[in-house]
Amino acid sequence: PYTATFVSTAITKVQGNQFAAAGVLKVGEASRQITLPLTVSLAKDGSLKLFFESRFSVNRSDFTTENYGGIGP
């Protein structure tokens, strides 16, 4: 199985509860700089928990290398 990780380097407010997280997405051995859209919300139970949601797409072929069999097309 392949592992995907995202490490943010900066988070900026866009407007309201919308943010942009810039950072590095690593899939297998391949890494790419990307910016993810984030929606932030508070827990509905009144606690101080924050929830982050992001939906985005990437080109799978960007993460195919010689060292990584890849998930390309």
Side-chain angles (χ1 to χ4, degrees), residues 9-24:
T9 55
I11 298 176
T12 56
K13 186 171 185 172
V14 176
Q15 67 179 8
N17 67 340
Q18 305 297 309
F19 292 79
V24 177

Side-chain angles (χ1 to χ4, degrees), residues 4-73:
T5 58
F6 176 76
V7 177
S8 64
T9 55
I11 298 176
T12 56
K13 186 171 185 172
V14 176
Q15 67 179 8
N17 67 340
Q18 305 297 309
F19 292 79
V24 177
L25 176 64
K26 182 177 180 182
V27 179
E29 296 299 318
S31 298
R32 301 289 183 264
Q33 292 279 340
I34 64 169
T35 300
L36 302 179
L38 292 177
T39 301
V40 180
S41 58
L42 291 171
K44 295 180 181 179
D45 64 4
S47 67
L48 296 178
K49 295 177 187 172
L50 289 176
F51 293 92
F52 300 88
E53 181 177 349
S54 183
R55 294 175 188 259
F56 61 96
S57 60
V58 295
N59 184 342
R60 292 184 301 171
S61 64
D62 287 345
F63 296 94
T64 303
T65 68
E66 281 184 45
N67 298 325
Y68 175 61
I71 51 175

